[in-house]
Amino acid sequence: MTKKASFFFTASCLILLVPVPPHFAFGIVFILCAAVIVLAAVMLKALIEYIGVKKYKNLLFMPGILAVTLFLYALVGLWSPVTAFTFGFIMYILPVSLFMNASIFADEHCPLKQMLIRELKNCAVLSVSGLFFFAARELLAYGTLSLPVRSGLQVFGILKGLGFFPVFFWATIPGALVLLAFLLVALAAVYRRYGIKEDAL
């Protein structure tokens, strides 16, 4: 995966965060599931190459990732039915996005270890960026931070002043898109700052 592909893959994954409810607690669970699904996609791609059925890659990739998503969704439902109900169909956007980005995993002759290390780095960037997105969104909208619990979420008041003047714009889809735009601009600057050449982008 080139640096350009890595950045745009991260950006496409971050866009999936917009419809998630604006609470840090839900963001933690969603990002954890997204990281597992991305790494499962890498393992599935390696397995398809190992058993020599690459020409059926598109037929095998989507059902395989969907199965992983269904399993994760079931685990979330067992742990916290409220969280699973809140996510609804959003969880199923993840495998669709990965299928649309399947070309990212199409590198030829890439050892599994190298591929895993690369994707672990991408997952780290995605996770840190996503957690920052959810934390900033909840703080700006409600002045609180929440943590996931079996009953749904546990809320802690941080910026108590916003309790009297809640900025609900940041809890809306347009507000999430504005915040995401700022985050992607910052990410692009970080990618360039750490040695991404213009021809690689």
Side-chain angles (χ1 to χ4, degrees), residues 13-136:
C13 288
L14 288 175
I15 291 172
L16 300 180
L17 306 182
V18 172
V20 179
H23 290 284
F24 187 61
F26 295 138
I28 292 174
V29 178
F30 189 80
I31 289 171
L32 179 60
C33 290
V36 172
I37 291 172
V38 169
L39 294 179
V42 177
M43 298 299 293
L44 179 59
K45 187 259 183 183
L47 177 62
I48 290 173
E49 290 188 353
Y50 179 76
I51 62 179
V53 290
K54 290 181 63 175
K55 63 179 180 179
Y56 301 112
K57 179 180 64 176
N58 290 338
L59 292 176
L60 297 173
F61 188 83
M62 187 60 179
I65 296 303
L66 183 58
V68 174
T69 304
L70 289 170
F71 179 71
L72 286 174
Y73 189 74
L75 289 180
V76 173
L78 286 174
W79 174 70
S80 175
V82 173
T83 301
F85 178 78
T86 301
F87 284 161
F89 73 94
I90 298 173
M91 282 284 289
Y92 299 103
I93 301 177
L94 287 169
V96 174
S97 176
L98 280 177
F99 182 74
M100 294 175 64
N101 286 281
S103 60
I104 291 175
F105 304 105
D107 299 312
E108 300 294 336
H109 309 298
C110 182
L112 177 60
K113 181 178 179 181
Q114 179 181 341
M115 194 187 311
L116 282 174
I117 292 175
R118 182 189 63 199
E119 294 309 323
L120 281 172
K121 291 179 180 179
N122 289 331
C123 281
V125 174
L126 173 63
S127 299
V128 172
S129 301
L131 290 175
F132 175 80
F133 173 83
F134 282 111

